[in-house]
């Protein structure tokens, strides 16, 4: 089946910073989408949407028709509505794949899924980044050189406050001597998540053929293996009914003092 991919971009730097618009005249989201199409060809149907679309372009109908969501954000994380974040969160738990790029480590959706601050060290002074493959058998590392050389990039460094990754695929080193866990995978519910750090707006990183290859590999990997996407149902099993659970809305709410007095 065709892999349905949606690239979500904040699309703010491109509108207000001329040097960013020069690097990404059609927006970073379009460049990222082009790289996925370049690598996956007819096996993927790639669309884009941005922050300023109604409901940020992430309606229930759009998400239901998306196999993998790719997310780039930086300057306007706080403008993403919580109800949209909750909607994306439920779809990830139900099996939608999520690829989180660069400064989207601080997006609301990534923080909600990780349960940590997701903070890190950074410096934007045209560092050289080397992206080393530490798990060469992983599908995301397929066809990727060791190391990937990015001549100019923003430095991201440890400590990176995330849960221990399920899999560590890439580690980056920088010209200042810093190291960073730059390619990590996680699973939440039925959903698969890939975080990949290269890609600041001030540098043409999303034109880099090897970076584009990694993102495309990550999109392929993040697709769920489930025949149907559905949020796991919370069930309760009676003692004599071990195999057929019943719908369970949650624990009974405690009565207030006033309610107990009335009783």
């Amino acid at each position: 089946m065709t892999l349905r991919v949606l690239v979500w971009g904040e699309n703010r730097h491109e509108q207000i910073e001329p040097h960013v618009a020069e690097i990404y005249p059609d927006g970073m989201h379009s460049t990222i989408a082009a790289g996925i199409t370049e690598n996956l060809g007819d096996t993927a149907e790639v669309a884009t949407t941005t922050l300023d679309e109604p409901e940020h372009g992430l309606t229930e109908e759009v998400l239901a028709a998306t196999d993998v969501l790719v997310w780039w954000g930086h300057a306007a994380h706080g403008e993403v509505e919580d109800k949209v974040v909750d909607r994306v969160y439920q779809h990830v738990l139900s099996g939608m794949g999520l690829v989180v790029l660069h400064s989207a480590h601080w997006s609301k959706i990534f923080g909600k899924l990780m349960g940590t601050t997701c903070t890190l060290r950074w410096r934007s002074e045209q560092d050289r980044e080397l992206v080393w493959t530490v798990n060469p058998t992983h599908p995301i590392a397929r066809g990727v050189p060791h190391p990937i050389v990015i001549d100019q990039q923003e430095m991201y460094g440890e400590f990176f406050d995330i849960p221990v990754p399920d899999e560590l695929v890439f580690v980056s080193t920088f010209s200042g001597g810093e190291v960073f866990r730059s390619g990590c995978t996680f699973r939440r519910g039925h959903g698969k998540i890939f975080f990949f750090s290269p890609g600041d707006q001030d540098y043409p990183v999303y034109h880099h053929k090897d970076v584009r290859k990694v993102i495309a590999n990550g999109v392929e990997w993040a697709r769920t293996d489930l025949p149907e996407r559905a949020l796991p149902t919370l069930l309760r099993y009676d003692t004599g009914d071990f195999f057929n659970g019943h719908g369970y809305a949650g624990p009974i709410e405690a009565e207030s003092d006033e309610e107990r007095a009335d009783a």
Side-chain angles (χ1 to χ4, degrees):
M1 295 177 61
T2 301
L3 176 58
R4 302 168 299 176
V5 184
L6 180 63
V7 179
W8 188 92
E10 192 178 86
N11 197 35
R12 288 293 171 82
H13 292 282
E14 303 93 313
Q15 306 301 318
I16 61 176
E17 299 179 34
H19 72 282
V20 179
E22 185 175 348
I23 298 170
Y24 299 107
D26 298 319
M28 277 179 282
H29 54 286
S30 296
T31 303
I32 293 166
I36 296 169
T37 300
E38 173 184 280
N39 282 278
L40 301 187
D42 294 338
T43 65
E45 180 182 286
V46 186
T48 63
T49 193
T50 61
L51 175 66
D52 290 326
E53 295 295 321
E55 299 186 59
H56 311 317
L58 300 171
T59 64
E60 180 65 33
E61 293 74 22
V62 166
L63 292 174
T66 299
D67 295 315
V68 179
L69 176 63
V70 181
W71 192 286
W72 193 99
H74 180 222
H77 296 313
E79 295 182 36
V80 179
E81 295 183 21
D82 291 341
K83 67 178 183 180
V84 174
V85 175
D86 291 341
R87 186 184 301 153
V88 174
Y89 178 80
Q90 292 298 323
H91 276 273
V92 172
L93 296 185
S94 300
M96 183 181 71
L98 180 65
V99 176
V100 177
L101 299 177
H102 192 60
S103 47
H105 71 89
W106 237 355
S107 63
K108 288 183 178 180
I109 182 58
F110 191 60
K112 186 177 179 70
L113 287 161
M114 295 298 105
T116 57
T117 68
C118 301
T119 54
L120 46 76
R121 296 177 182 269
W122 65 276
R123 177 182 61 248
S124 186
E125 296 180 4
Q126 300 185 358
D127 280 83
R128 185 188 70 166
E129 179 177 1
L130 301 179
V131 184
W132 303 91
T133 300
V134 295
N135 189 349
T137 64
H138 199 284
I140 296 176
R142 186 182 66 249
V144 175
H146 179 69
I148 298 172
V149 180
I150 303 174
D151 292 326
Q152 292 183 331
Q153 165 66 338
E154 181 180 39
M155 185 280 293
Y156 273 10
E158 298 289 344
F159 174 63
F160 184 19
D161 184 23
I162 54 173
V164 175
D166 293 332
E167 301 163 304
L168 184 60
V169 185
F170 303 109
V171 169
S172 288
T173 57
F174 294 85
S175 47
E178 298 87 359
V179 298
F180 188 70
R181 290 168 289 169
S182 53
C184 311
T185 74
F186 306 88
R187 294 175 185 263
R188 295 292 185 270
H190 295 317
K192 295 193 284 187
I193 303 162
F194 174 51
F195 170 76
F196 188 55
S197 65
D200 184 72
Q201 72 277 355
D202 290 330
Y203 307 100
V205 179
Y206 292 126
H207 294 287
H208 194 300
K209 67 179 181 65
D210 300 326
V211 171
R212 289 158 79 101
K213 176 65 173 173
V214 170
I215 294 171
N217 285 353
V219 165
E220 271 195 313
W221 170 85
R223 183 179 194 170
T224 183
D225 297 325
L226 292 172
E228 293 185 15
R229 205 163 80 204
L231 187 66
T233 303
L234 188 59
L235 299 176
R236 183 169 185 167
Y237 295 85
D238 294 332
T239 304
D241 187 15
F242 290 107
F243 305 105
N244 300 297
H246 304 286
Y248 181 48
I252 299 171
E253 293 184 8
E255 290 182 340
S256 67
D257 292 338
E258 291 79 4
E259 288 172 326
R260 280 195 294 269
D262 292 340

